[in-house]
Each structure stands twice: as structure tokens, then as C-alpha cells.
């Protein structure tokens, strides 16, 4: 239960960071999308560093069904635990979105109208998810203590170098469908984003073991 609480709370704070900073950035940027995205990226990187550092020792700090699936493929988490992680990540993400709306005095229940679709963005989500797993498992292999920094820096940068702004997370994708704000995504476009993220996991499952063998491997 402690692990599940950590995953739910961490994912909630992640979405509070993503959606809340998007709302604040858009409000203060006076129509300058670049400034709003910069604020969004920095705040997301900051909250990632905090939640991974504080909750990592408890649950492993997945906060992402794609990451949980990757660990399941590596047989480092049981199927039952992985399923429970995914459920609480999704619930936590939606609750985080609603908390952000409440903070900014917006309607709690919303549906996004922001279109995010097309081959370029779909491919971007494959690359973004693969890159996230590359950073995580490379960090585990070579410098575990740097993982919070590595993930925070990667996502901050990936907001800018991916056309999709690097969702790279099925729970985040679902939750952002419930926010008609700067960070939102049209619910009709969520399934394809998730499908591409899962392809990213599959690519990582093939490629990353060639680079980063586990300590128990001979």
C-alpha cells in the first residue's frame, strides 16, 4: 500500500506540475506560446526531480505505465504489482489535473479540445518514450544516484526537441485529456499517443539490453 500511495501521489504531483504550470504560463505569457512552453517545461522538470528523489526509494518512482511495463518486461516487477501501479498512476494523474483546476479557480470537470495528432507527433511519442527509458536504464546501469537529474533534464529538453512536447506517458496522456488548458490533448487523439508510447517501450525492450545489461547478467 505504501508503494501504491507513492505512485498515486507522485503521479498526481506530476500532473499538478504539468497542468498547473501550463495554466500559469499561458496566463502570464500574453499569447507568447514559446514563453508558456518554457515555463511548462521548467516546472515539469523541477517537479520530476523532486518526486523521483523523494518517492523513488519507496516505489521506484515510475509514475508512468510505460516505465512500469518496461520493468515488467525486465522481470523486475510482478504482473500483479505492475497492474496495480498502472491503475493508481491513472487515478493519481486525473486527481492531479482536477487539483490544478481547483487551484486556478477553473471548472474541475473539463474535456480538452486541443488537437495533437499526425504522423510527426506519433513518431515523436515513439522517440520520446524510447529516450525516457534510455535515460532511466542507462542511469540505473551507470549512475543510479543521478536518475532524478537525468530524467528531469531529459523531459525538460524533450518538451522542446519533440513535436509532441514529449508526453511519453500513458497516464499523463489520459489525464491531460481531462484539461481544456495549455497542456490538454483532445481525448480522441489519446489512443494513438498511447499506442506510440507502447511501441517506444517495445523498441526499448529490444535495443536497451544490448547497451545496458543487468548486473546479474553474465
Amino acid at each position: 500500500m505504501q508503494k501504491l500511495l507513492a505512485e498515486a501521489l507522485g503521479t498526481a504531483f506530476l500532473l499538478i506540475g504539468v497542468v498547473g504550470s501550463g495554466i500559469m504560463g499561458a496566463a502570464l505569457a500574453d499569447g507568447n506560446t514559446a514563453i508558456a512552453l518554457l515555463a511548462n517545461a521548467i516546472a515539469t522538470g523541477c517537479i520530476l526531480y523532486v518526486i523521483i528523489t523523494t518517492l523513488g526509494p519507496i516505489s521506484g518512482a515510475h509514475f508512468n505505465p510505460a516505465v512500469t511495463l518496461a520493468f515488467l518486461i525486465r522481470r523486475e516487477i510482478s504482473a500483479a504489482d505492475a497492474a496495480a501501479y498502472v491503475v493508481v498512476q491513472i487515478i493519481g494523474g486525473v486527481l492531479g489535473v482536477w487539483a490544478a483546476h481547483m487551484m486556478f479557480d477553473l471548472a474541475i470537470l473539463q474535456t480538452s479540445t486541443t488537437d495533437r495528432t499526425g504522423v510527426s507527433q506519433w513518431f515523436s511519442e515513439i522517440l520520446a518514450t524510447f529516450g525516457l527509458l534510455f535515460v532511466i536504464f542507462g542511469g540505473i546501469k551507470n549512475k543510479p544516484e543521478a536518475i532524478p537529474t537525468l530524467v528531469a533534464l531529459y523531459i525538460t529538453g524533450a518538451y522542446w526537441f519533440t513535436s509532441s512536447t514529449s508526453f511519453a506517458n500513458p497516464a499523463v496522456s489520459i489525464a491531460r485529456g481531462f484539461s481544456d488548458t495549455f497542456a490538454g490533448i483532445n481525448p480522441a487523439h489519446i489512443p494513438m499517443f498511447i499506442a506510440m508510447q507502447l511501441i517506444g517501450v517495445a523498441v526499448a525492450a529490444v535495443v536497451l539490453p544490448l547497451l545496458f545489461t543487468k548486473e546479474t547478467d553474465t
Side-chain angles (χ1 to χ4, degrees):
M1 288 305 299
Q2 189 180 48
K3 291 180 178 181
L4 296 181
L5 178 59
E7 285 296 304
L9 185 62
T11 311
F13 267 111
L14 173 57
L15 268 298
I16 289 170
V18 171
V19 174
S21 64
I23 296 169
M24 179 69 83
L28 299 180
D30 195 25
N32 189 324
T33 305
I35 297 298
L37 182 62
L38 180 62
N40 200 199
I42 292 172
T44 301
C46 289
I47 194 63
L48 276 168
Y49 179 86
V50 170
I51 60 178
I52 293 171
T53 299
T54 55
L55 298 176
I58 299 173
S59 68
H62 295 192
F63 315 133
N64 183 340
V67 173
T68 299
L69 176 58
F71 277 100
L72 177 62
I73 291 171
R74 287 164 58 98
R75 298 181 181 178
E76 295 183 27
I77 186 173
S78 70
D81 285 347
Y85 268 36
V86 170
V87 169
V88 299
Q89 288 159 0
I90 293 171
I91 293 172
V94 173
L95 291 177
V97 167
W98 290 346
H101 291 168
M102 185 174 293
M103 281 196 298
F104 288 93
D105 196 25
L106 301 176
I108 304 301
L109 301 180
Q110 302 181 18
T111 301
S112 178
T113 57
T114 301
D115 291 335
R116 299 179 188 267
T117 188
V119 173
S120 61
Q121 293 202 46
W122 298 337
F123 176 72
S124 178
E125 280 301 295
I126 296 174
L127 183 61
T129 306
F130 172 82
L132 175 61
L133 297 174
F134 167 78
V135 166
I136 291 171
F137 291 115
I140 289 173
K141 176 65 177 178
N142 297 313
K143 198 168 185 179
E145 68 277 11
I147 289 176
T149 303
L150 293 172
V151 173
L153 289 175
Y154 173 78
I155 293 297
T156 301
Y159 261 64
W160 285 86
F161 66 70
T162 64
S163 61
S164 64
T165 66
S166 187
F167 282 45
N169 184 330
V172 165
S173 301
I174 292 169
R176 287 169 66 167
F178 289 92
S179 185
D180 194 20
T181 62
F182 181 82
I185 176 174
N186 189 323
H189 299 152
I190 292 173
M192 188 60 78
F193 262 49
I194 293 176
M196 296 302 106
Q197 291 156 4
L198 296 179
I199 291 174
V201 174
V203 174
V206 173
V207 175
L208 296 186
L210 302 177
L211 288 171
F212 311 123
T213 56
K214 293 187 290 185
E215 294 298 330
T216 54
D217 291 342
T218 56

